[in-house]
Amino acid sequence: MVELEALRRLSARVGADPLLVQAAGGNTSLKHNGLMWIKASGTWLRDAVARDIFVAVDHQRLTAALARHDAACESCVDFAQAGATLRPSIETTVHALMPQPVVVHVHCVNTIAWAIQANAEAALGVLLQRFNWAFIPYARPGLPLAGAIAQRLRPETDVLVLGNHGLVVAAQTVAEAEALLDRVVARLQRPAHPTVAPRLETIRALCAGTDYSPAASAETHALATDAHALAIGGHAVYYPDHVVFLGVGVATAMASGAALVALPGKGVVVRNDAKPAVEPMGRCLADVMRRIGTADQLRALSESDIDRLVNWDAEIYRQTLTQTASGPERV
């Protein structure tokens, strides 16, 4: 199918851009002849050309089940084609709700930096006034998010900004979806604090004889070398994938045993046995926080929001799959 091949190429492109997608985050889909091809849970979009990461689900059955609030829509496993070996994305219901054939959901860093603002909807209303867009207040991914979208979705809506979460665009073709994504992302750019070089010799010495190694990229190290970023991002959770892969807050001492540790003023170190998703998520946090101003008022996830995420069966399943993916080579 020509469009599915085009979607694979677009998925690989956005999946390779850490300002759009990190690790197994984000998902894409295509509706065709009653089926919806959706990225499988736990797979990485950047692998879309090299590997078969899509699962076909019965779109008509799924939308009918959504309309009657069927609990089977929580995992969507029951709607996958017979013989499927992977589970549909945890956000399959979001894609099913959008009427357009092509849907692209990304965890765009610049979008998140807007979407965690306390006044996000008003601020975005100015930036996106020429788009058919809707702001969706934070809801847990899966059925709660689908329900929140259904309340605000209009027939002409093709852009969603998900509070404390990310961006969704939808279109009739893959080419149109790609063009729309690029236009929205360009509109939502926020200035980032410049990165400060890590003290690599110092942190290499600190890692000697331990289970840690320095992080791979200067952008990840910025979580520790940018005091403002660490002060804001180190003690709260602002979007789902942070808590899922990094836990609550950011550790600042290797003695903690945490998968990722930000050594203030020096740099970031990562446990050698950490899941491949850990450093990309650490970089994402740094990238988001470098785009937050000192006067910005932010909305963090609540304790109940966090509890609903970490104890969600679909999210636990996704984490088990990310252990086999390849991560960045650390120095």
Side-chain angles (χ1 to χ4, degrees):
M1 190 193 319
V2 174
E3 276 291 90
L4 185 57
E5 291 308 309
L7 183 67
R8 291 185 195 279
R9 292 191 295 273
L10 174 58
S11 300
R13 187 209 115 186
V14 300
D17 185 344
L19 296 183
L20 292 178
V21 167
Q22 307 80 33
N27 30 75
T28 58
S29 69
L30 171 68
K31 305 177 186 77
H32 179 74
N33 286 346
L35 294 177
M36 183 174 74
W37 296 87
I38 179 87
K39 192 203 81 164
S41 180
T43 60
W44 294 40
L45 280 175
R46 73 179 187 191
D47 296 332
V49 172
R51 296 178 51 203
D52 188 3
I53 67 168
F54 289 93
V55 176
V57 300
D58 187 320
H59 183 242
Q60 185 174 1
R61 285 182 55 227
L62 175 54
T63 52
L66 268 172
R68 62 176 183 268
H69 307 290
D70 192 326
C73 296
E74 183 65 14
S75 71
C76 294
V77 172
D78 292 350
F79 307 102
Q81 269 191 324
T85 57
L86 294 172
R87 288 169 59 162
S89 165
I90 60 177
E91 290 167 332
T92 296
T93 49
V94 171
H95 291 251
L97 276 175
M98 302 296 286
Q100 297 89 346
V102 180
V103 179
V104 177
H105 167 45
V106 292
H107 295 164
C108 168
V109 162
N110 284 285
T111 304
I112 295 172
W114 284 110
I116 64 177
Q117 301 284 332
N119 67 337
E121 186 168 8
L124 289 164
V126 176
L127 293 168
L128 299 177
Q129 58 184 317
R130 296 186 179 180
F131 293 86
N132 294 316
W133 81 290
F135 180 79
I136 312 299
Y138 177 78
R140 195 209 75 194
L143 273 179
L145 178 56
I149 290 173
Q151 292 178 23
R152 295 197 170 197
L153 192 64
R154 306 182 307 276
E156 68 274 16
T157 303
D158 57 9
V159 175
L160 304 175
V161 175
L162 311 179
N164 293 83
H165 188 153
L167 173 67
V168 178
V169 301
Q172 294 300 308
T173 68
V174 172
E176 291 172 357
E178 182 170 19
L180 179 58
L181 175 66
D182 290 345
R183 291 202 310 275
V184 175
V185 169
R187 194 74 183 97
L188 297 183
Q189 292 294 309
R190 289 176 64 97
H193 316 157
T195 57
V196 177
R199 295 164 57 184
L200 281 178
E201 292 305 316
T202 298
I203 58 178
R204 284 194 184 107
L206 290 171
C207 289
T210 74
D211 295 326
Y212 288 91
S213 298
S217 73
E219 288 82 2
T220 308
H221 287 295
L223 184 58
T225 59
D226 186 322
H228 178 66
L230 186 57
I232 298 174
H235 303 288
V237 174
Y238 292 101
Y239 51 89
D241 274 359
H242 175 169
V243 67
V244 169
F245 291 99
L246 298 180
V248 177
V250 176
T252 56
M254 288 188 286
S256 68
L260 179 142
V261 177
L263 302 173
K266 299 181 180 69
V268 170
V269 297
V270 181
R271 278 186 64 93
N272 297 328
D273 60 356
K275 295 177 182 178
V278 166
E279 181 168 347
M281 293 304 173
R283 174 181 171 169
C284 178
L285 180 60
D287 284 338
V288 171
M289 292 300 120
R290 286 172 53 220
R291 287 162 172 79
I292 300 303
T294 55
D296 289 346
Q297 298 296 310
L298 306 182
R299 178 201 179 276
L301 298 188
S302 68
E303 289 186 11
S304 60
D305 291 332
I306 293 169
D307 184 67
R308 292 186 187 101
L309 283 164
V310 298
N311 293 306
W312 182 25
D313 289 344
E315 193 58 87
I316 293 169
Y317 169 81
R318 181 168 73 122
Q319 288 187 69
T320 65
L321 295 185
T322 63
Q323 296 182 52
T324 60
S326 61
E329 182 179 349
R330 295 189 289 278
V331 294

